[in-house]
Amino acid sequence: MTTTQKSPPAAQPPSAAPNRVRAGLLDPWQLIRSLPDALRKLNPTTLWRNPVMFIVEIGSVFTTVLAIAHPTVFAWTIAIWLWLTVVFANLAEAVAEGRGKAQAETLRLAKKDTIARRLRNWTPGAAHLDEEAVPAPALRLGDVVVVEGGEIIPGDGDVIEGIASVDESAITGESAPVIRESGGDRSAVTGGTKVLSDRIVVRITQKPGESFIDRMIALVEGANRQKTPNEIALNILLAALTIIFLLAVATLQPLAIFAKAQTPAAPSTQALTPHGVTGIVLVSLLVCLIPTTIGALLSAIGIAGMDRLVQRNVLALSGRAVEAAGDVNTLLLDKTGTITLGNRQATEFTPVDGVDEKVLADAAQLSSLADETPEGRSVVVHAKERYGLRERQIQCADWVPFTAQTRMSGVDLCAPGDVRQIRKGASSAVLKWVRDHGGHTSDHVATVVDGVSASGGTPLVVAEKRAGEPARALGVIDLKDVVKVGMRERFDAMRRLGIRSVMITGDNPLTARAIAAEAGVDDYLAEAKPEDKMDLIKKEQEGGKLVAMTGDGTNDAPALAQADVGVAMNTGTSAAKEAGNMVDLDSDPTKLIEIVQIGKQLLITRGALTTFSIANDIAKYFAIIPAMFVAVYPGLDRLNIMRLHSPASAILSAVIFNAIIIVALIPLALRGVRYAPGSAAAMLRRNLLVYGVGGIIAPFVGIKVIDLVVQYLPGL
Amino acid sequence: MSTAGAGALFIASLAVALAVAYRPVGDYLYRVFTSRRHWRVERVIYRLVGVNPDGEQTWRMYARGVLAFSAVSVLALYALQRLQNHLWLSLGRPAVRPDQAWNTAASFVTNTNWQSYSGETAMGHLVQMAGLAVQNFASAAVGIAVAVALVRGFARSRTTEVGNFWVDLVRTCLRILLPVAVVGALVLISAGVVQSLSAGRDAHTLAGAAQHIPGGPVASQEIIKEFGTNGGGFYNANSAHPFENPTGWTNWIQVFLLLVIAFSLPRTFGRMVGDRRQGLAIAIIMAVLAVGSVVAVNAFQLAHQGTVPQAVGAATEGTEVRFGVPQSATFAAATTLTSTGAVDSMHDSYTALGGAGLTANMMLGEIAPGGTGSGLYGILVLAVITVFVAGLMVGRTPEYLSKKLSAREIKFASLYFLTTPALVLVGTAAAMSLTSARASMLNAGPHGLSEVLYAYTSAANNNGSAFAGLNANTTWYNTTLGAVMLLGRFAPMVFVLGLAGSLAAQRPVPASAGTLKTYQPLFVGMVVGIVLIAIALTYLPALALGPLAEGL
């Protein structure tokens, strides 16, 4: 299959198993910088999209009106803190968006207005080209432009003629230039990137205003962010909870009026009068009960999740894809570049029929000196490192290049009176050469060759023929696919999360099995053709599984589109980038594993903060209910287990806690909760303990501490 | 034996009996609902009604069946009461007043059995036998049918069909309820429960006063009253009446009967979804909540402060001497934990916190173990909500029994979860705002408020027990409680069936190491926690002004 033939960017060392997904810490200045945005978001025409906070805003307006009508310290303090609650919620979203905005600014710089050199009536190989200058935004789908060294590529497209080195740092941040050439899988170019040398002809594949950079800007800014399925479901639940609490608070009024009427001797308080619970206290109770914490942070969590991907140079084209990444059951990974380093390397020389090891090494190195393929270079290097053989200058040599017909390469060395022919290549081809040149082949060679194949390596047989002697086989080179460091640990971690990894390779089943065993993947698909990949995805999905894969070639496009999470490499073709729902700007296929972790972390953060938010309510009841009714039913003072100073201070403390907890949790919402891969039960137990039990206890402590301060507020 | 010791033995023996029954009863129910064979008598019924017993229904058709059947039931029962003076066996009693007839019809069709009438003076034998007793079977069967439809939703995949309502209904009546009712009635008769068509006898007491002792077909109604978690007594005194519940051991049998189906249905559920551990986990969730509640109510009744309890050693007021305080407390907890509502003691006389416990039992939404069928679907909906909230914390889109919980499922679950609290709170608040409705309270202060709160809680959760101390036979209460009972029964059923349809249509997600294990103790603890927190958060303000204000 074609996709495995490409070598990955050399600059990607196998990252040292990042078991924890993290993002940058929150800079306090970010909060202050985002304040204007947060205030702008108070506009009810936009805030209504967040029903929980919209209710808080209505409550804030209501309490402000009441405070103006009957100004007391208590009323005004409550009103101010209710407004702060809404502002804090907006702040969370603004900060999350602010990070994306900075990223978008950088991208906008790349989107300079360039003048394109459009070619009219271009045909392949045409001698005379009719060229005109048009502004880049005027380019249409299908236009053909020419770009030369030093010029900016005016739009996304595919190279249809020529080869050039391109600086893509504007979008990837990677300064090393990349090669783009017509045909094959490295033909896609992105508008805004710069051609460094040579000349290419590009066919534009974007519509005006829909370039890759345009889409990236929209994405990181969250311009048309849509709620993900899981977010929608959570919103429904939060709305239901809000309605229940609205009912619980609203229906309290007639009960309170009755209670007050039954005990006429009890004095009226700031909380309870003969007309029932005062408006300010009712609103306070409502705001404390409805799930404001998660309501305030929900969209920030989503934006921050996308942002965490962007920081890793992955662009998710939809939030849905990020969420799906957390649910993935099966990872399809191309062997080359993902699991193995990408180049086969010589790891062992095995001599046969009593040949000296050194002789074999020498012959192997000589035959490879002119071989510029990575495999050939690795033979030279192995001989040097293992046997101390230096590269030498050869006086007279006739290099025999590799061809698909001969399936071997080699050299004819001409010394005075002697011609030494050395050949290295596929065992069948070389052994045939030996027989054709008077030699005979022993069983020993066949045994070694089979052994190498069985262990997952590629055997190359080395043979020589000296003048006047029959040809003979010297030994076998073991070319191995070297598995990247740390892959086994990563796959083990995935397995604990219930994710099955499947290696896709064009190798024969024998080799594939050996490499799969060494890397620790669960399964492999050998001799895979692009349509096999598609079939495998469909089969997995048929069983209800979600599949993630990476790909770059045009023939990967259908599979990328079919997969639930399709990560296209930025080096790939535009077809692949169109088909996938994520693009990895670094073109590092191993990143799929990180993407899955980020998706999981996003879901965990949502669940943890929802649990925390609901658990918080218990303490607030213990603060507010006795405060409201202790005047009529003194026995309810037993519920005041925090021993709060006064009813007014108790209610105020609960409201203040409710507002402050939002700000306190913004960093957590942006960063995501700590995530270490483990079994579902272990993760659940930990998160339940921290966010469930912690969520019950934290507000008891917090409200008490706030009360210790608030009680000294004059006039309360 | 000490009072507390006898109470403990009563509870322990019930627990053992229920644990023993769990497997055989659950397995029997499983066979009833998965069998492909129809009994001959069933075929006759299907032919008479005109349904194809081998055809299945979508959730919408199933729901239409439930609603249509129940609507016809309400009309029939209403008509029977209104016309009873023209029919046989009326014992000369007049037609029931329209508001009361409406209330009673709604009450018995919804498995609530709230009684604003007094059986021995208002209803003739025909209404009792052909109306009320019939609904005791039918309403219980409807509840089980809906629960089974929901379980099919979990068990099936990629189908629009959730079963056949008519088959589920008929089989529940014929294969489960009737056989037990026949045998059980004979057992009760042997213990002294009356069973006749006589209007009763007149006797002269030793003091020379004339006394009318009413008779009637009591045992046949008593048995299904408990077994179908109905709770509507033949007599006004319900199971406190010696003709309904003569001795200590019939008391035990009644508690056992009202718990046994609801506690065994989780086994059926586990069998149907192909994983018995899932069923056991649900049963344990129910048991934890139930044991907690029974122990708490007993503790409050035996130890709570108050003049009478401190003088006598326990809260004996309103209890029958032949049962004793703990056995009455256990009966009261069991009847409020299931949607039965039968009583063998007067809940109004319970200590403030004991009464709060009974109210809270109903507020749980009748899930521990709840009514026949309704308990299972209630707890499954709560399990769905728990999985959704806590399940996110394992880093996957929440799944329960290999079904994804997405917006559609959460919509149905949330609506279900919203309905009952809305009815309770709005109903109570409305009654408390009306002078006329407040006039029905026989007590002032927080206790009076508890009476109203209890009434709407009982109606909305289809329990049917009364706190007494509230004159509910007024046009206001008859009408509103009737409406609350119907909404509290059928709106949730429609949402449950919607959930079933939505689950059945899904493709199952294969379980993996990353899946939340919904049969482990951690999950059991989570559901219990979520249930308690959700109920506390919803009802604490109202409880604070009623029983808590009184008891603290």
Side-chain angles (χ1 to χ4, degrees), chain A residues 336-624:
Chain A
T336 311
T338 310
I339 295 171
T340 62
L341 285 175
N343 312 318
R344 287 173 296 186
Q345 297 186 340
T347 54
E348 207 178 350
F349 298 147
T350 314
V352 292
D353 301 329
V355 175
D356 184 59
E357 219 173 313
K358 271 243 159 84
V359 173
L360 168 64
D362 181 61
Q365 192 182 47
L366 281 171
S367 71
S368 305
L369 284 177
D371 186 350
E372 281 302 314
T373 62
E375 288 87 352
R377 278 200 300 268
S378 81
V379 171
V380 175
V381 169
H382 187 72
K384 184 166 79 182
E385 286 178 351
R386 182 76 189 276
Y387 301 96
L389 296 173
R390 313 281 311 166
E391 291 181 39
R392 10 201 167 166
Q393 288 300 314
I394 310 291
Q395 301 304 321
C396 162
D398 193 2
W399 303 107
V400 181
F402 176 86
T403 68
Q405 281 77 41
T406 60
R407 289 162 67 220
M408 58 186 178
S409 62
V411 61
D412 293 346
L413 295 169
C414 39
D418 180 21
V419 175
R420 186 180 173 204
Q421 291 175 296
I422 306 176
R423 294 291 181 274
K424 131 193 138 198
S427 66
S428 56
V430 174
L431 293 179
K432 181 170 182 295
W433 180 82
V434 170
R435 284 192 296 272
D436 289 351
H437 289 80
H440 70 99
T441 53
S442 68
D443 287 347
H444 191 187
V445 183
T447 319
V448 174
V449 164
D450 288 348
V452 168
S453 296
S455 72
T458 307
L460 291 183
V461 175
V462 181
E464 69 163 2
K465 179 181 185 317
R466 285 174 188 273
E469 292 176 28
R472 61 169 182 156
L474 298 175
V476 179
I477 302 173
D478 184 356
L479 281 181
K480 264 215 162 44
D481 248 344
V482 180
V483 172
K484 287 184 179 177
V485 180
M487 293 312 284
R488 176 173 279 278
E489 288 73 22
R490 282 186 165 210
F491 291 129
D492 286 346
M494 289 288 117
R495 201 168 302 116
R496 281 198 298 277
L497 292 171
I499 298 171
R500 208 166 68 93
S501 40
V502 180
M503 181 181 85
I504 313 280
T505 171
D507 292 340
N508 64 57
L510 212 59
T511 312
R513 185 171 63 203
I515 294 175
E518 190 186 343
V521 292
D522 298 290
D523 204 353
Y524 61 90
L525 184 65
E527 288 170 352
K529 296 181 292 296
E531 57 268 29
D532 294 341
K533 216 174 191 175
M534 186 72 173
D535 291 343
L536 182 63
I537 294 177
K538 282 189 173 155
K539 202 181 86 201
E540 294 280 320
Q541 288 176 335
E542 198 63 15
K545 291 179 176 162
L546 262 59
V547 183
M549 68 167 282
T550 60
D552 51 8
T554 300
N555 54 22
D556 280 339
L560 277 171
Q562 178 73 30
D564 301 283
V565 178
V567 184
M569 300 291 107
N570 190 45
T571 52
T573 59
S574 353
K577 279 152 88 173
E578 278 297 319
N581 44 22
M582 290 192 198
V583 177
D584 178 16
L585 300 177
D586 295 340
S587 306
D588 170 15
T590 39
K591 221 183 260 172
L592 195 51
I593 297 172
E594 273 177 73
I595 292 173
V596 166
Q597 295 189 339
I598 289 173
K600 286 195 175 294
Q601 196 194 25
L602 174 71
L603 293 173
I604 295 176
T605 307
R606 249 182 230 151
L609 290 183
T610 307
T611 309
F612 187 83
S613 191
I614 296 172
N616 266 207
D617 281 2
I618 298 172
K620 295 173 192 163
Y621 263 140
F622 279 96
I624 297 184

Side-chain angles (χ1 to χ4, degrees), chain A residues 26 109 120 145 167 222 224 250 268 275 287 318 367 455 485 512 569 629 697:
Chain A
L26 178 69
L109 290 178
R120 270 184 293 196
V145 295
D167 172 12
N224 41 11
S268 289
H275 304 293
V287 171
S318 73
S367 71
S455 72
V485 180
M569 300 291 107
F629 300 121
I697 297 168

Side-chain angles (χ1 to χ4, degrees), chain A residues 620-640:
Chain A
K620 295 173 192 163
Y621 263 140
F622 279 96
I624 297 184
I625 288 191
M628 283 196 294
F629 300 121
V630 75
V632 284
Y633 297 129
L636 289 179
D637 192 45
R638 288 192 184 189
L639 292 181
N640 180 11

Side-chain angles (χ1 to χ4, degrees), chain B residues 224-312:
Chain B
I224 192 64
K225 174 186 108 182
E226 316 295 357
F227 193 54
T229 64
N230 292 288
F234 190 91
Y235 299 111
N236 190 33
N238 209 306
S239 285
H241 197 291
F243 286 180
E244 285 198 17
N245 187 9
T247 66
W249 67 265
T250 54
N251 196 43
W252 187 96
I253 286 186
Q254 297 204 348
V255 179
F256 174 78
L257 283 173
L258 62 86
L259 291 168
V260 66
I261 291 186
F263 259 125
S264 302
L265 268 173
R267 167 85 182 179
T268 314
F269 157 71
R271 292 283 310 266
M272 286 179 77
V273 299
D275 186 352
R276 288 165 209 186
R277 294 171 304 180
Q278 305 283 359
L280 191 61
I282 293 291
I284 291 173
I285 294 168
M286 291 174 165
V288 168
L289 288 166
V291 169
S293 163
V294 167
V295 170
V297 172
N298 266 288
F300 289 134
Q301 289 312 98
L302 291 172
H304 193 59
Q305 85 264 24
T307 327
V308 179
Q310 268 164 14
V312 193

